[in-house]
Amino acid sequence: MSKFVQHASYYLDDKDLSDLCKAQNIAPRFLLRFARRRGLFLSDKSSKDELVQGLCMAPISWDDVSVLAEAINTEERDTKQMTTQLTDGVDFDGVPAALERVKSALEANREIPTLTKTGDNKYKLEVRFVEMQPQRTRPLQRVERQVTIEVERVGGRLDIRYSGHEHAKQIVRNLVKEIPARKEKEKAERQVSLWSIRDPLARVKFFTEMINGMNGFILSDVTDLHVDRRFPEEEGDADEESVKQEKEKLVGLVKHAILKGDSLLNSEFYVELQAAGYYIGNIVWIANETGTDQRQVEFYAGFKDPILATDFLFDVRRIAKRDESGNYGKLERLQLGDRESLLKLVEAAAYRALERIDAPSDEAKGQSA
Amino acid sequence: MPGETQNIAAMAEKASKEIFDVFGWRHVGPKNKNWGCVEQEKHDRRRARTHSSDVVFRYEDPWSGKDVYVTSDLKSYAKGTVAQHPVASTLRNLSRAVECANKSEEFQTLYVDFNRQHHVMGMLFIYNHDGGYDEDFSKALEGVQPSQSDVAENNRLGVVGPKRVAYLHTVAKDILIAQGKKGELGPDVQCEFYYPNLQTIRFAKTTSSVANLETLLCPWLVMRYTKPSLGISQTGYFIYYDGHGSSVDEFQYLLDYLFKYQIATDHVKIAIRMVFAVPDAPALFEKAKGNYSEDYWPIANVSPEQVRQRMANISFQTVTSLVPTFSEVELGMK
């Protein structure tokens, strides 16, 4: 969640209010209601600019600002998740204390963390903090955010799922450092990263394996694809001349593209792009559940920076139920309970896909033998 | 209905004298007058072919510099009965009257000075004749949809509801008392309402004897006074604030308004005068001054001593709410 936070020692002047109304796309209907609260009835035939100006001319109280904030602060739609797993060497008895230490550090930083034990081996750390965004319009520079970090022991492994936000990532880095290792073993951590994969087809394979490897679901459609053909430059990778040649080769070529539609993986255009060396960076797909519920779910997965391919983000976007005649209804935002289990499915499918592309193929094995 | 006519006239007279005179409004032309509708088809006036003005006020708008005529509909009702009154249809009638008044030759002949640029606005003035006010009215008002009030383009209406009537009446009385012989300011004082220029908006006048309709409906009213003291004129401000003062934040916010618009400067006394203050308001106000000083001083180009002095000049004062008596009978909505 993110919220518009107004500092009480900063009066919103006419320009601030005008910027705020524009930046937040506040509807004229709201502005008319806002005026009506004071007993001022403006015309609904007036333009939005006229309404904003009409309201800005007289002072605005703190109470008015609270009403504005309430109208602006809606639930954040960006709910993407990230993942990391401690696969070995974790001293599980030390996890609660590690979480407490991280919580204390956050409190010392004037943040508001809440730590909850959500199951036998599960914890949830929710953190509220104010983020400064100096590039935004003045009244919106202070944004209250909330990030969540979920920690769950699964057998001998510790799964950590967290909000796709830089601050959550930093908290997780601190938590991983704080979690003690067993005496006899070092901690092992794994994340979903394709940074070292420089073969476009292998990157494509990761995504196709993942969307086809969702337990209890069958792929129905791919509706959104972000493709790219660039790779990160490695240190000492190439001399200046070869970098220059590579850049010259890219002149006149499409570096990346976003495809939207139906059956994208089978589209002629995508097939051509793939053949030309493009790989997938982000994907939105729809899958049908095979069990009793038989729901249709829209998923998202991809990398924050498709070229670096280090920060893996995933999400469950919408869900549709199937009626008695077998038709799916409209895709809608889903309930929290459903969301958690579906997120785990994407996460598991991503790690499995990663193992498959990491594992050398039979053909390669034969060659090396 | 001669009885109602007399009551409206009496109520208009009292409201003018006890409230609007103080804010620089003057009533003009005949009271409780019907005049012809010029948009009969649009306003569905096949039966009643007229609009009415209980009283028309005129003031020179400090924002635009134009003359503003406020055609007013005066209502009086008993506490608890407002929900039964058709607020939406009363507002629709008023907005139609305003639309016509801006075009009607008859209205202009009766009320308007043609030599000056002018515009007509509407005011619904609703008063609880059995004392106090109730919250039902605010709810009824919020429920009125724009399509129901049907305000024409470039027009606007103001509703001075029961609570606002009590508030404005108290403020007006307070200003008059302060200017009295034994008052805080005394009779030699010169008082004007202050409209600091905004970032993107320049007003026709920054000081004026008029508080326009929009200002009377907004959260605070800034009155600047200048009084001679030992041959030197001394400037100060009364800030009439309609909030409850129930949080430190609301005072901090008001303080920044005073500093941002350079109302709070050295040697200027400012009194925040509140009608509806909660008992804790004075303590919260002092806390807000402390908080604001901490926030303000590091970014302002002044010394901590100057900030302390400016803060010491800003005081909190409560104003006792008065219950007005304008009418003792029901003047219902039509």
Side-chain angles (χ1 to χ4, degrees), chain B residues 185 189-191 223-226 234-238 269:
Chain B
L185 303 176
V189 76
Q190 192 194 341
C191 293
M223 190 184 82
R224 183 160 83 172
Y225 61 81
T226 312
Q234 192 187 10
T235 299
Y237 293 89
F238 278 4
K269 287 211 178 298

Side-chain angles (χ1 to χ4, degrees), chain A residues 93-367:
Chain A
D93 293 339
V95 172
L99 280 161
E100 287 292 348
R101 285 195 293 277
V102 170
K103 183 179 171 231
S104 300
L106 292 165
E107 280 166 342
N109 200 29
R110 297 174 75 178
E111 296 178 27
I112 306 168
T114 312
L115 181 60
T116 321
K117 193 169 193 300
T118 52
D120 282 347
N121 294 305
K122 280 170 78 176
Y123 298 87
K124 187 191 266 189
L125 178 64
E126 289 168 301
V127 184
R128 272 168 53 206
F129 64 100
V130 173
E131 184 179 53
M132 289 303 293
Q133 299 186 347
Q135 75 284 7
R136 301 183 82 185
T137 180
R138 179 67 181 81
L140 288 169
Q141 284 178 355
R142 286 165 57 86
V143 179
E144 189 182 298
R145 289 201 177 275
Q146 180 169 312
V147 293
T148 305
I149 293 114
E150 289 180 90
V151 180
E152 183 179 11
R153 179 180 176 176
V154 182
R157 194 181 73 213
L158 196 71
D159 290 1
I160 305 174
R161 271 180 299 282
Y162 52 101
S163 308
H165 185 276
E166 205 50 44
H167 189 54
K169 189 178 161 187
Q170 189 53 50
I171 295 169
V172 169
R173 293 318 325 140
N174 295 340
L175 178 63
V176 169
K177 269 188 220 160
E178 289 291 341
I179 290 172
R182 287 206 310 268
K183 273 181 191 165
E184 68 278 15
K185 229 167 184 188
E186 274 190 23
K187 281 183 294 184
E189 184 182 358
R190 72 167 177 172
Q191 290 176 324
V192 180
S193 167
L194 300 184
W195 191 87
S196 60
I197 310 286
R198 302 301 160 94
D199 172 10
L201 285 176
R203 286 195 175 193
V204 169
K205 190 181 173 196
F206 164 76
F207 281 98
T208 51
E209 289 282 346
M210 178 181 62
I211 64 178
N212 285 296
M214 297 269 299
N215 283 345
F217 280 88
I218 293 174
L219 176 67
S220 167
D221 200 1
V222 172
T223 57
D224 205 323
L225 274 178
H226 182 147
V227 295
D228 211 305
R229 57 173 293 138
R230 296 164 293 174
F231 285 102
E233 287 169 20
E234 287 182 82
E235 279 176 43
D237 194 29
D239 54 36
E240 263 182 48
E241 190 54 35
S242 60
V243 170
K244 199 177 157 194
Q245 280 173 1
E246 192 61 31
K247 278 185 181 166
E248 278 168 2
K249 252 171 42 184
L250 281 171
V251 172
L253 278 176
V254 175
K255 290 172 185 161
H256 66 108
I258 296 167
L259 282 65
K260 287 180 190 292
D262 299 323
S263 307
L264 288 176
L265 287 185
N266 301 324
S267 70
E268 208 175 306
F269 185 50
Y270 169 72
V271 173
E272 279 175 24
L273 284 173
Q274 191 186 315
Y278 287 82
Y279 59 82
I280 298 171
N282 293 295
I283 192 165
V284 175
W285 76 102
I286 292 169
N288 297 340
E289 200 172 16
T290 53
T292 47
D293 284 348
Q294 300 208 333
R295 298 167 299 178
Q296 189 170 59
V297 184
E298 185 184 71
F299 297 97
Y300 163 89
F303 292 95
K304 201 171 185 177
D305 181 338
I307 304 168
L308 294 176
T310 47
D311 290 334
F312 179 69
L313 296 158
F314 57 104
D315 199 4
V316 183
R317 288 182 159 185
R318 295 182 297 168
I319 196 161
K321 287 186 178 153
R322 201 170 184 185
D323 64 18
E324 285 168 4
S325 55
N327 297 320
Y328 289 108
K330 196 180 162 198
L331 284 162
E332 288 171 350
R333 294 185 74 192
L334 76 169
Q335 303 299 315
L336 277 178
D338 289 337
R339 187 177 151 74
E340 195 185 332
S341 57
L342 293 168
L343 280 170
K344 282 185 188 176
L345 286 180
V346 188
E347 183 189 32
Y351 280 114
R352 276 197 299 274
L354 195 66
E355 282 162 13
R356 282 177 185 261
I357 61 163
D358 271 352
S361 65
D362 290 344
E363 196 181 337
K365 272 181 202 166
Q367 279 172 355

Side-chain angles (χ1 to χ4, degrees), chain A residues 64-98:
Chain A
D64 292 330
V65 173
S66 306
V67 171
L68 262 176
E70 201 178 310
I72 292 168
N73 292 337
T74 49
E75 201 181 326
E76 194 181 21
R77 289 191 174 85
D78 192 2
T79 51
K80 291 179 188 127
Q81 296 285 299
M82 295 176 87
T83 172
T84 193
Q85 292 183 340
L86 297 180
T87 51
D88 206 359
V90 174
D91 174 6
F92 291 105
D93 293 339
V95 172

Side-chain angles (χ1 to χ4, degrees), chain B residues 261-312:
Chain B
Y261 291 107
Q262 293 169 19
I263 294 167
T265 52
D266 294 340
H267 315 299
V268 169
K269 287 211 178 298
I270 298 169
I272 311 288
R273 295 170 88 91
M274 292 181 63
V275 178
F276 302 125
V278 296
D280 287 343
L284 298 174
F285 177 69
E286 288 306 318
K287 195 172 177 194
K289 278 166 66 172
N291 288 0
Y292 185 76
S293 301
E294 282 177 23
D295 287 345
Y296 177 74
W297 173 69
I299 56 161
N301 193 22
V302 288
S303 66
E305 177 55 26
Q306 274 177 300
V307 175
R308 198 194 57 73
Q309 197 189 332
R310 285 179 193 179
M311 282 297 174

